[in-house]
Amino acid sequence: MQVIFDFLRKISGGKLTQKQVSAANQVIANTTGSMVANMLGIAVDEISVSNQGVDLICDFEGKRLAAYDDGVGVWTIGFGTTIYPNGIKVKKGDTCTLDQAKLYMAHDLKKFEQAVNGAVNIPLNQNQFDALVSLAYNIGTGAFNKSTLVKKLNAGDIRGAAYQFDVWINAGGKRMQGLVNRRAREKALFLS
């Protein structure tokens, strides 16, 4: 949270004592970085998924212009959309155009970008962010926010967080090779 310490240095006249650094670290340890930034009135730049990240998600989600059951009873359309921007769930028999599918995905991505930006309180590089958005896109924001991966990441355990990708390989209680493949690519991207 370099931005926070830069701000604190600025308001304290350029330098921080060890006592001030320790106090700031304690506050940061007990709250998320974005909460601290908000308390201090600092605008924190949020990361957006890159074209590489979008391509990764599209490769695994595939493009389907007619609604399909994702294998565990969730109706899906386009590039993995399960709920339209108007809040209505995708249902059997729905169809869309390619342009609509792209619009649905753009809408969905914002939700998952916000989830990653909100849950993770350490700086991420673009590859890490893209991998996390892909994971969240697939497992949902609730599961992502509560995951051990996020806990390990926020504790600074990057390697431990990376190994948590391997946990998310089941759907409907069954190991799925497609998820094994997806997690391996997400993990490799995260570590690059």
Side-chain angles (χ1 to χ4, degrees):
M1 297 270 61
Q2 185 65 39
V3 67
I4 294 169
F5 284 101
D6 289 344
F7 178 79
L8 292 173
R9 278 187 204 92
K10 182 178 176 182
I11 64 171
S12 69
K15 290 187 177 185
L16 295 175
T17 66
Q18 184 57 49
K19 186 175 180 179
Q20 289 169 319
V21 170
S22 296
N25 279 330
Q26 185 63 38
V27 170
I28 291 168
N30 291 326
T31 57
T32 67
S34 60
M35 286 172 62
V36 172
N38 286 338
M39 287 188 295
L40 297 174
I42 302 169
V44 177
D45 292 332
E46 293 191 343
I47 304 175
S48 295
V49 71
S50 71
N51 289 337
Q52 177 185 4
V54 172
D55 290 344
L56 174 71
I57 295 167
C58 288
D59 285 350
F60 282 108
E61 294 293 338
K63 174 185 71 185
R64 305 276 283 277
L65 302 181
Y68 63 97
D69 181 327
D70 73 349
V72 292
V74 178
W75 286 96
T76 308
I77 200 164
F79 298 99
T81 295
T82 58
I83 299 174
Y84 295 112
N86 64 6
I88 296 173
K89 287 185 177 185
V90 175
K91 63 185 181 316
K92 183 178 182 175
D94 287 356
T95 61
C96 69
T97 66
L98 178 58
D99 286 340
Q100 287 172 317
K102 289 178 181 178
L103 287 172
Y104 300 156
M105 182 180 196
H107 179 267
D108 290 346
L109 279 174
K110 289 187 186 332
K111 175 174 67 173
F112 296 105
E113 289 170 340
Q114 288 172 349
V116 173
N117 279 314
V120 177
N121 64 22
I122 66 164
L124 298 171
N125 68 38
Q126 189 66 56
N127 289 341
Q128 291 168 326
F129 185 80
D130 289 350
L132 293 172
V133 170
S134 179
L135 176 67
Y137 198 95
N138 186 240
I139 69 173
T141 58
F144 177 79
N145 289 336
K146 296 175 187 171
S147 69
T148 300
L149 185 153
V150 169
K151 289 179 181 110
K152 286 183 177 284
L153 190 57
N154 285 337
D157 182 3
I158 304 298
R159 279 271 171 219
Y163 289 115
Q164 288 298 306
F165 280 92
D166 301 331
V167 171
W168 298 94
I169 57 171
N170 297 320
K174 295 181 183 175
R175 178 184 164 104
M176 299 191 69
Q177 189 59 47
L179 292 178
V180 172
N181 298 344
R182 182 174 185 157
R183 297 294 104 83
R185 280 194 50 203
E186 290 166 346
K187 181 179 173 182
L189 180 61
F190 181 82
L191 290 171
S192 66

